[in-house]
């Protein structure tokens, strides 16, 4: 029989009872600093006790490997991460709650004053939202006093892991669906109400057209979009006498709106609607199919309603849309929910790469890391990504400069081949140094980034990621660091 260690750190029943004060588990900005794993705080207490808390540290957030059948990731979540860092602080009530646990009985007074007075004062380098990235490439780097850089790990991973997953799925859906309308319907399947808001934003930023999440849409300055549920059709059919009456009532308040036609008999409903449209009795912009053989049904509905948009829903993902497109389905738009906001997790990690100017690395089997502060250099050739190079942030692009100087037509050379550093400075000493981007700007970057990838990287089945080379300087530092820790 397995037994687990007691991790209550001396909690008494009274202390436990006193701390259960918010059974609703609501979240506000004042709680952000406490939305972390316990070991972040216990390590910070140790750093403080040993006088190490202000040593300059660099941590990088990256994924070791991509999810199965993903050739790339779309970086997303930076906006929420920066907002969190700007507001990072501990409230007096939060500190009192920590003290009441009894866990930190041996922590120094300096630890408590650090929490009470501290703010995030570090630098943040990151790839802009909407940028395609690959395994082992930093999405973000934090350079800050050790205690700050350590404490923010959990929140940053939660934010970037989830939103990058949503953005990547959305970008793949857009790539497969081409110009079809794509709507985000994932609120009821997202992992929490707050997650649904950021999932909607990530989906819109990565290429979807609209969301059904009313709060998300309004806060983002967008118009929410949706249709109707089977419950409405059934309720009105029972109360008013027929499915057609349900359609008529809905159009009385929302003229021309798309109608859900598969509650009872899809083709019979389409035939009756066609008669009303052809007689001029009804104006209809679209219909929604939520079940059945979408290929066959969409073709039949198209023959009956040739000038009406056909919208499909029902546990769709990029593979199913690709199948529908290949089979010639007559579908103009798709609603994406469960498989967009859930699915294969992105196992991003956040690792220390430098402390007090000393490069460090992890050597665990299968979980090794590269030392030092790094930069990703992306090589483009005629607008397409040819390769990435993972190098040191401080390294000079000598080879690129020398190569450029050899050509007699530098403008032509730039058009043919160029190398671009991906990580940019977003926070300097805790303050923003770049303006907040609009959804339209991020959406355009996503589209451009995906379009620049090789076809083999964009395909859904057995994709091949872009080659990521390790620079000579990084290889040398890695070997040197290994020797120093042998």
């Amino acid at each position: 029989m397995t037994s687990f260690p007691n991790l209550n750190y001396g909690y008494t029943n009274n202390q436990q009872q006193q701390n259960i004060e918010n059974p609703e588990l609501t979240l506000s900005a004042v709680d952000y600093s406490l939305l972390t794993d316990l070991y972040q705080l216990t390590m910070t207490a140790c750093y403080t006790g040993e006088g190490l808390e202000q040593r300059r540290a660099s941590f990088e957030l990256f994924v070791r490997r991509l999810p199965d059948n993903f050739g790339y990731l779309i970086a997303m979540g930076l906006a929420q991460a920066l907002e969190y860092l700007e507001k990072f602080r501990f409230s007096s009530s939060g500190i009192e709650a920590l003290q009441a646990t009894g866990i930190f009985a041996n922590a120094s007074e300096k630890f408590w004053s650090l929490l009470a007075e501290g703010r995030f004062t570090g630098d943040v380098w990151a790839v802009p939202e909407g940028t395609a990235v690959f395994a082992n490439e930093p999405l973000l780097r934090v350079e800050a006093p050790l205690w700050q850089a350590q404490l923010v790990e959990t929140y940053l991973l939660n934010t970037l892991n989830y939103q990058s997953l949503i953005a990547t799925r959305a970008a793949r859906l857009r790539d497969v669906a081409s110009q079809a309308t794509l709507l985000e319907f994932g609120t009821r399947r997202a992992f929490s109400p707050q997650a649904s808001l950021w999932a909607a934003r990530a989906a819109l930023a990565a290429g979807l057209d609209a969301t059904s999440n009313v709060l998300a849409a309004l806060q983002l300055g967008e118009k929410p979009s949706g249709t109707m549920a089977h419950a409405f059709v059934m309720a009105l059919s029972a109360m008013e006498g027929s499915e057609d009456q349900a359609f008529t009532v809905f159009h009385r308040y929302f003229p021309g709106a798309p109608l859900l036609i598969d509650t009872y008999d899809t083709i019979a409903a389409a035939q009756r609607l066609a008669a009303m449209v052809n007689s001029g009795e009804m104006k209809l912009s679209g219909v929604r199919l939520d079940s059945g053989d979408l290929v066959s049904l969409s073709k039949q509905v198209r023959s009956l309603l040739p000038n009406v948009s056909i919208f499909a829903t029902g546990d769709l993902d990029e593979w199913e849309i690709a199948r529908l497109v290949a089979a010639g389905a007559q579908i103009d738009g798709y609603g994406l929910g469960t498989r967009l906001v859930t699915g294969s997790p992105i196992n991003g990690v956040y690792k220390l790469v430098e402390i007090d100017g000393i490069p460090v690395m992890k050597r665990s089997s299968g979980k090794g890391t590269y030392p030092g502060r790094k930069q990703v250099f992306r090589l483009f050739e005629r607008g397409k990504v040819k390769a990435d190079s993972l190098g040191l942030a401080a390294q000079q692009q000598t080879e690129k400069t020398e190569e450029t100087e050899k050509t007699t037509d530098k403008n032509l050379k730039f058009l043919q081949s160029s190398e671009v550093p991906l990580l940019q400075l977003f926070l300097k000493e805790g303050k923003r140094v770049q303006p907040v981007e609009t959804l339209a700007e991020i959406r355009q970057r996503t589209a451009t980034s995906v379009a620049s990838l090789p076809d083999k990287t964009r395909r859904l089945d057995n994709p091949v990621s872009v080659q990521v080379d390790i620079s000579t300087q990084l290889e040398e530092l890695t070997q040197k660091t290994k020797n120093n820790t042998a």
Side-chain angles (χ1 to χ4, degrees):
M1 179 176 179
T2 302
S3 62
F4 294 92
N6 184 341
L7 298 181
N8 285 332
Y9 293 93
Y11 248 33
T12 67
N13 289 334
N14 288 338
Q15 286 173 325
Q16 289 177 324
Q17 189 66 36
Q18 290 171 3
N19 285 325
I20 301 175
E21 296 180 353
N22 184 12
E24 295 180 2
L25 290 177
T26 53
L27 178 68
S28 64
V30 73
D31 302 313
Y32 283 171
S33 58
L34 292 178
L35 190 58
T36 189
D37 291 303
L38 175 62
Y39 76 176
Q40 312 291 10
L41 286 160
T42 55
M43 286 187 287
T44 297
C46 292
Y47 295 149
T48 306
E50 296 299 305
L52 302 175
E53 76 282 358
Q54 299 297 344
R55 299 295 178 92
R56 191 74 172 178
S58 296
F59 285 76
E60 292 180 345
L61 191 156
F62 61 95
V63 298
R64 290 194 177 96
R65 61 191 65 86
L66 303 181
D68 290 343
N69 280 320
F70 277 48
Y72 62 91
L73 294 179
I74 295 297
M76 199 66 64
L78 180 61
Q80 186 181 5
L82 296 179
E83 178 187 359
Y84 159 72
L85 293 172
E86 286 184 306
K87 295 180 179 179
F88 181 82
R89 62 205 60 197
F90 285 83
S91 66
S92 58
S93 60
I95 291 174
E96 289 172 3
L98 285 176
Q99 291 172 330
T101 66
I103 295 172
F104 300 92
N106 294 323
S108 66
E109 283 302 317
K110 188 178 179 182
F111 170 69
W112 300 113
S113 62
L114 189 72
L115 298 189
E117 300 167 7
R119 302 288 185 269
F120 182 79
T121 60
D123 301 344
V124 173
W125 291 77
V127 298
E129 290 186 301
T131 303
V133 294
F134 310 103
N136 292 310
E137 296 183 338
L139 282 72
L140 172 147
R141 181 172 68 253
V142 172
E143 302 175 5
L146 178 57
W147 77 274
Q148 297 174 18
Q150 184 75 71
L151 271 177
V152 301
E153 172 184 4
T154 301
Y155 194 99
L156 295 182
L157 283 171
N158 178 283
T159 299
L160 272 75
N161 279 342
Y162 185 57
Q163 292 185 47
S164 294
L165 169 65
I166 307 304
T168 305
R169 298 300 294 266
R172 285 155 57 95
L173 285 160
R174 171 53 66 204
D175 203 17
V176 168
S178 188
Q179 299 303 310
T181 298
L182 298 178
L183 303 183
E184 189 276 321
F185 284 176
T187 300
R188 64 187 61 191
R189 300 288 188 264
F191 296 134
S192 73
Q194 187 193 39
S196 74
L197 300 175
W198 289 101
R201 179 189 180 275
L204 294 177
L208 269 60
D209 296 288
T211 177
S212 64
N213 188 314
V214 176
L215 179 59
L218 296 180
Q219 290 192 346
L220 293 168
E222 303 279 323
K223 181 184 289 188
S225 182
T227 56
M228 59 166 60
H230 293 104
F232 178 87
V233 177
M234 291 188 290
L236 270 292
S237 296
M239 303 285 286
E240 301 288 344
S242 71
E243 184 179 33
D244 290 353
Q245 279 298 104
F247 295 155
T248 299
V249 169
F250 199 73
H251 269 194
R252 184 179 303 150
Y253 300 96
F254 304 97
L259 299 172
L260 176 61
I261 65 172
D262 73 334
T263 305
Y264 304 115
D265 185 322
T266 300
I267 301 306
Q271 290 171 336
R272 297 194 306 274
L273 287 174
M276 288 188 278
V277 170
N278 292 335
S279 67
E281 182 181 347
M282 173 184 285
K283 291 183 179 180
L284 182 61
S285 64
V287 295
R288 176 161 75 98
L289 309 177
D290 188 56
S291 60
D293 184 341
L294 295 178
V295 175
S296 175
L297 289 174
S298 66
K299 290 179 178 180
Q300 294 179 72
V301 171
R302 176 71 79 220
S303 68
L304 294 167
L305 297 164
N307 299 314
V308 172
S309 295
I310 299 174
F311 192 74
T313 55
D315 288 335
L316 302 177
D317 60 17
E318 55 265 49
W319 285 277
E320 180 61 12
I321 291 178
R323 185 191 71 80
L324 292 171
V325 171
Q330 298 296 297
I331 298 174
D332 304 294
Y334 303 90
L336 296 314
T338 302
R339 297 185 184 180
L340 170 63
V341 300
T342 60
S344 302
I346 291 176
N347 292 315
V349 295
Y350 181 86
K351 298 300 177 184
L352 179 69
V353 296
E354 185 178 283
I355 177 70
D356 209 21
I358 304 168
V360 295
M361 62 184 291
K362 186 176 178 180
R363 298 180 61 181
S364 307
S365 177
K367 292 187 175 182
T369 61
Y370 290 105
R373 293 174 295 117
K374 292 174 284 296
Q375 176 63 274
V376 180
F377 300 98
R378 178 153 294 170
L379 178 63
F380 290 90
E381 196 165 82
R382 299 187 182 278
K384 291 286 186 178
V385 176
K386 182 178 181 181
D388 278 3
S389 175
L390 184 62
L392 297 175
Q395 82 181 51
Q396 298 296 316
Q397 299 179 58
T398 308
E399 295 177 6
K400 174 191 167 186
T401 303
E402 292 176 350
E403 184 178 281
T404 303
E405 289 173 349
K406 291 178 183 178
T407 183
T408 56
D409 189 342
K410 293 185 179 180
N411 291 328
L412 177 61
K413 185 68 178 180
F414 179 79
L415 291 173
Q416 291 178 338
S417 178
S418 61
E419 194 173 60
V420 179
L422 297 189
L423 280 87
Q424 301 177 18
L425 182 63
F426 281 87
L427 287 186
K428 179 68 174 176
E429 297 179 353
K431 305 293 184 182
R432 287 184 190 254
V433 295
Q434 294 202 34
V436 176
E437 290 191 305
T438 65
L439 278 181
E441 290 171 326
I442 302 169
R443 187 182 292 121
Q444 181 58 54
R445 180 181 295 113
T446 303
T448 301
S449 191
V450 172
S452 72
L453 298 176
D455 291 342
K456 64 182 181 181
T457 302
R458 293 164 62 176
R459 69 192 183 204
L460 298 182
D461 296 315
N462 301 312
V464 178
S465 284
V466 166
Q467 176 181 335
V468 180
D469 300 319
I470 307 302
S471 75
T472 301
Q473 294 92 329
L474 180 54
E475 286 183 340
E476 291 174 349
L477 179 63
T478 301
Q479 188 58 53
K480 180 180 178 181
T481 306
K482 282 181 179 180
N483 295 336
N484 291 340
T485 57

